[in-house]
Amino acid sequence: MKTRIHEAIHWEQYKETGIILFPVLYLTFWLVNLFRFRFDGKKAYREIPFEKEAHSNQNRIDYLFKRKMYAWLR
């Protein structure tokens, strides 16, 4: 269930950013974080705004019903 919610959150992010922009933003955030965290790939991944939102809310069954658009920006 946790993985399903996590991926559903990503789907909402994908719909908000579009088919082209989501992967571009995801990669850009990861590359910036890679330099920011001195090539610690795991930390760079965890600090991607899309992942931060998904990981922090993947245990909340009701999250997708209450989620505000562009929540990953906050």
Side-chain angles (χ1 to χ4, degrees):
M1 183 60 114
K2 181 166 46 172
T3 302
R4 189 174 287 173
I5 295 169
H6 181 100
E7 295 308 325
I9 293 169
H10 283 318
W11 176 246
E12 293 301 315
Q13 296 163 342
Y14 206 93
K15 290 190 314 188
E16 291 166 354
T17 56
I19 196 164
I20 307 259
L21 195 54
F22 182 84
V24 169
L25 284 173
Y26 195 99
L27 181 60
T28 303
F29 284 130
W30 185 76
L31 288 171
V32 167
N33 287 342
L34 203 54
F35 285 98
R36 186 172 159 214
F37 298 111
R38 303 175 193 256
F39 298 97
D40 180 347
K42 194 173 194 174
K43 177 80 170 163
Y45 160 77
R46 286 292 209 159
E47 291 298 317
I48 295 170
F50 298 128
E51 291 301 334
K52 286 176 83 171
E53 180 192 7
H55 281 285
S56 19
N57 296 293
Q58 67 189 9
N59 294 318
R60 294 177 52 201
I61 294 171
D62 65 336
Y63 180 70
L64 289 169
F65 297 107
K66 297 178 180 180
R67 181 184 183 271
K68 295 189 188 315
M69 286 188 73
Y70 300 99
W72 55 274
L73 286 173
R74 293 176 188 88

